[in-house]
Amino acid sequence: SVESVLTASISDFFVALSARLDERPLDEDVLVSVLAVVDEPGDLSLVERIGVLAPAGETSPHAKGLILAEFHTWLDWFEAWLSGRVGPGPSDLHVATLAAAILGCGEAAIRVWSKSVVAGEQPPAFHVGLAESLGHLRSGLLVGTPSA
């Protein structure tokens, strides 16, 4: 079925993403590692998969649900990976928050990029949006000076 093909494609994407993250240096900043897996020439297949899967999520509510379900299934693996990278200091809640925030950055970048693709626009490369989104996370999502 179309559903099983889409689910398998998404699952394969996360298997490849996990493998690439595991290959990153242990002492590398986790945000640098995340960006590197889609920014390096060896990872173009990941970007190509995003290019195929993301517009499906924008044009079909059912496909969007399948993609989001796989995102959140992968979150368990990502939390464990982050725990191994950040060491014993941060609490489980801290690691879970970081994992959800990084995943949210990826999801935001995918959504903005794929909406442009579906609209027939030529957006910047996906990794550019992901880098910007991760930059917002790194800066604490500050948008300006809060009013008094």
Side-chain angles (χ1 to χ4, degrees), residues 36-78:
V37 299
V38 295
D39 198 21
E40 292 181 346
D43 298 315
L44 290 178
S45 65
L46 287 176
V47 177
E48 290 170 1
R49 291 182 204 189
I50 292 169
V52 171
L53 296 172
E58 289 303 316
T59 57
S60 164
H62 184 66
K64 182 181 278 188
L66 293 171
I67 292 168
L68 289 174
E70 289 296 322
F71 257 58
H72 291 278
T73 297
W74 181 73
L75 191 55
D76 291 333
W77 179 90
F78 190 49

Side-chain angles (χ1 to χ4, degrees), residues 76-87:
D76 291 333
W77 179 90
F78 190 49
E79 283 180 23
W81 181 83
L82 282 171
S83 289
R85 296 298 170 119
V86 298

Side-chain angles (χ1 to χ4, degrees), residues 2 5 7 28 34 40 44 56 62 68-69 76 78 90-92 98 102 111 117 125 128 137 141:
V2 172
V5 169
T7 301
E28 184 173 59
V34 169
E40 292 181 346
L44 290 178
H62 184 66
L68 289 174
D76 291 333
F78 190 49
S91 69
D92 289 346
L98 180 59
I102 293 171
R111 287 176 47 81
V117 170
V128 172
L137 177 62
L141 298 171

Side-chain angles (χ1 to χ4, degrees):
S1 71
V2 172
E3 180 175 309
S4 62
V5 169
L6 182 60
T7 301
S9 296
I10 298 164
S11 179
D12 289 347
F13 167 78
F14 282 116
V15 166
L17 180 61
S18 299
R20 296 297 294 154
L21 284 170
D22 275 339
E23 293 172 356
R24 301 304 306 168
L26 292 174
D27 60 345
E28 184 173 59
D29 177 275
V30 294
L31 297 182
V32 170
S33 292
V34 169
L35 185 57
V37 299
V38 295
D39 198 21
E40 292 181 346
D43 298 315
L44 290 178
S45 65
L46 287 176
V47 177
E48 290 170 1
R49 291 182 204 189
I50 292 169
V52 171
L53 296 172
E58 289 303 316
T59 57
S60 164
H62 184 66
K64 182 181 278 188
L66 293 171
I67 292 168
L68 289 174
E70 289 296 322
F71 257 58
H72 291 278
T73 297
W74 181 73
L75 191 55
D76 291 333
W77 179 90
F78 190 49
E79 283 180 23
W81 181 83
L82 282 171
S83 289
R85 296 298 170 119
V86 298
S91 69
D92 289 346
L93 181 58
H94 186 130
V95 172
T97 301
L98 180 59
I102 293 171
L103 187 62
C105 287
E107 185 179 350
I110 289 169
R111 287 176 47 81
V112 169
W113 183 82
S114 63
K115 283 180 182 180
S116 295
V117 170
V118 169
E121 300 168 3
Q122 183 64 28
F126 169 74
H127 72 273
V128 172
L130 180 60
E132 182 180 342
S133 187
L134 291 171
H136 293 312
L137 177 62
R138 189 178 296 281
S139 70
L141 298 171
L142 300 174
V143 249
T145 307
S147 57

